Amino acid sequence: MRSLRHFDLNLLLVFEMLMRERHVTRAAEKLHLSQPALSHALKRLRDALDDPLLVRTEHGLQPTPRALQLLPIVQQALAALQAGLTPPATFDPATSTRRFTLATTDYFEEVMYPAFLSQLLGYAPGISFSIELITPEVLSEALEQRQVDMVVGLDSQSSLPSGVVQTPWMHEELVCLAAQQNPHVGDAVVLEQFARQLHVELADISGLLPSPIENCLTQHGLSRRVISKNLNYIAAARVVSLTDAIMTLPRQMAERFVAMLPVRIVAPPAELPALTMTLIQHSLYANAPANVWLGEELTAFSKNTHR
């Protein structure tokens, strides 16, 4: 045999079985082949290797020295192929000590993460998490290099680099937050009134998130004045509590601030879209058992939370 390209690798299975059984009929049965088919495969092996391989003697078929030399090499190669083709072991949360790194929004870290972690530790006591901010580098580099396992909570309208996969995760209603003593808004605002207010919003450090609020206002020929862009929700909510500005945020986050600060929830304009959040990971690792498990746990948790 001069080149592996011209050798049928299926013949290695035939060779290994013939060497094990030393009997054509039994080898054919084990390989689920007819005896003529196996005899033909043996002839091809002999031609390819330029050796009789198995010779009929008074004691049945016996291997030639060339066959005995090849046997451990073929067995090792077949074992390596079998190991490589075997599906990876399933992720076992009960015994894993895996540390996951998540890049997340304030919403997930404040509203979802504490209860999510508490639940997981009940049946995955060895796992742990690191939480990071969502930045352009996370999406373009860290996911591919597996420095970050998953991005949780980014809006579905975000522009994403190639190579990452985005899965819908959960929907959340947007509401407005205003100081309790804010005289400019009541229990609800229409779009024109909403545009006239002073606004506080979160700064988009990812650089990838188009503002659904700005898009909505632009479509209706309106604009607004943003007096403060903050890095986190709690700082933004404190600004709202001390000014006549309003902010727009997910309802569950707003409900937490109502319990903490002198603020109240205001029904937003009907034209504002709901927030659709996603799970993002790199396609290189999307089928890794640990990533699959984590994605399933996050999805199940979000569904239970919104029943």
Side-chain angles (χ1 to χ4, degrees):
M1 182 183 62
R2 296 182 178 180
S3 173
L4 190 62
R5 288 180 300 171
H6 302 297
F7 185 81
D8 183 353
L9 294 180
N10 288 313
L11 293 177
L12 296 181
L13 294 170
V14 173
F15 173 79
E16 196 274 337
M17 187 61 70
L18 280 169
M19 291 294 289
R20 186 191 308 174
E21 297 296 329
R22 311 282 175 91
H23 194 282
V24 172
T25 302
R26 288 199 303 268
E29 290 173 352
K30 292 287 181 67
L31 291 170
H32 304 288
L33 296 173
S34 66
Q35 184 171 332
L38 192 80
S39 297
H40 178 67
L42 177 57
K43 181 179 184 305
R44 291 175 61 201
L45 270 168
R46 286 166 169 165
D47 291 342
L49 297 173
D50 195 23
D51 190 272
L53 299 176
L54 289 164
V55 176
R56 191 171 301 281
T57 71
E58 294 180 358
H59 305 289
L61 290 177
Q62 295 297 316
T64 66
R66 171 72 165 145
L68 290 173
Q69 177 192 23
L70 282 173
L71 181 59
I73 299 172
V74 170
Q75 288 175 329
Q76 184 178 7
L78 291 175
L81 284 170
Q82 183 63 50
L85 295 173
T86 299
T90 57
F91 181 74
D92 184 4
T95 60
S96 176
T97 57
R98 171 74 177 269
R99 174 179 290 273
F100 292 97
T101 299
L102 304 180
T104 74
T105 61
D106 270 15
Y107 173 88
F108 173 78
E109 188 172 12
E110 168 64 28
V111 175
M112 308 285 287
Y113 176 67
F116 177 66
L117 178 60
S118 175
Q119 173 181 295
L120 287 191
L121 290 177
Y123 49 88
I127 66 165
S128 57
F129 289 89
S130 293
I131 303 297
E132 294 188 4
L133 295 172
I134 302 173
T135 65
E137 291 73 24
V138 164
L139 292 161
S140 63
E141 299 174 16
L143 282 173
E144 181 176 349
Q145 297 170 6
R146 218 171 191 180
Q147 297 167 349
V148 170
D149 295 293
M150 199 169 294
V151 174
V152 182
L154 199 60
D155 189 277
S156 62
Q157 299 182 54
S158 303
S159 300
L160 300 174
S162 61
V164 303
V165 291
Q166 179 176 250
T167 306
W169 178 46
M170 61 178 291
H171 303 279
E172 178 68 293
E173 176 189 4
L174 291 175
V175 298
C176 296
L177 198 69
Q180 288 181 353
Q181 304 305 318
N182 186 327
H184 303 292
V185 293
D187 295 333
V189 288
V190 296
L191 190 62
E192 291 78 6
Q193 183 187 10
F194 174 85
R196 290 195 301 268
Q197 306 307 307
L198 302 177
H199 289 263
V200 177
E201 70 173 9
L202 290 191
D204 174 27
I205 62 172
S206 74
L208 298 167
L209 184 59
S211 170
I213 297 174
E214 299 299 345
N215 290 344
C216 178
L217 291 174
T218 299
Q219 290 171 7
H220 291 82
L222 300 169
S223 62
R224 62 174 178 162
R225 182 186 171 207
V226 176
I227 64 167
S228 180
K229 286 193 175 186
N230 294 85
L231 292 176
N232 57 71
Y233 275 120
I234 183 63
R238 290 186 183 278
V239 172
V240 167
S241 72
L242 296 172
T243 68
D244 287 340
I246 64 173
M247 69 179 294
T248 308
L249 70 171
R251 174 175 286 279
Q252 289 193 75
M253 183 69 84
E255 290 171 347
R256 279 162 170 73
F257 294 141
V258 168
M260 297 165 52
L261 300 167
V263 293
R264 55 192 170 90
I265 291 176
V266 176
E271 293 86 351
L272 289 189
L275 178 63
T276 300
M277 291 173 280
T278 64
L279 302 177
I280 298 171
Q281 52 191 319
H282 202 278
S283 55
L284 284 171
Y285 314 111
N287 290 328
N291 282 46
V292 172
W293 174 81
L294 179 60
E296 290 174 348
E297 291 296 321
L298 284 164
T299 299
F301 184 81
S302 69
K303 289 180 179 178
N304 292 334
T305 302
H306 282 70
R307 281 181 179 176

